[in-house]
Amino acid sequence: MIDGLAVQAQGPGDGPAVLLVHGFPDTSELWRHQVPALLDAGYRVITMGLRGFGASDKPAAVHEYAPARGLSDSRCSSSMSRRSGC
């Protein structure tokens, strides 16, 4: 978990990173068929669950779901996936 988001990083730590973000109403499980092919190609794959979906936090406050917050979550997930906290 990074800042309440379910984030999973897989693959070589030095490979080019690919961030996979799902849309409504899916979860990061949507990418289960694409992840193996990307890993086989040498990519580091990062999947994140958007707020309110899957294992990620489900805040009550509406402002927590604003587009700017989603962008911030994506940036945090892609840059911080190797360590905890954001």
Side-chain angles (χ1 to χ4, degrees), residues 10-83:
Q10 305 172 52
D14 59 349
V18 175
L19 175 63
L20 300 176
V21 182
H22 65 83
F24 176 82
D26 291 309
T27 67
S28 59
E29 182 67 13
L30 170 74
W31 304 112
R32 68 190 176 280
H33 299 294
Q34 289 79 15
V35 169
L38 290 166
L39 292 173
D40 288 345
Y43 288 96
R44 186 167 155 262
V45 180
I46 303 163
T47 59
M48 61 173 272
L50 297 176
R51 289 182 188 280
F53 296 91
S56 291
D57 284 350
K58 295 160 184 62
V62 173
H63 73 274
E64 292 290 333
Y65 298 93
R69 183 61 191 247
L71 179 58
S72 174
D73 290 343
S74 296
R75 285 184 184 149
C76 178
S77 296
S78 64
S79 65
M80 302 291 285
S81 64
R82 294 182 193 187
R83 53 188 186 266

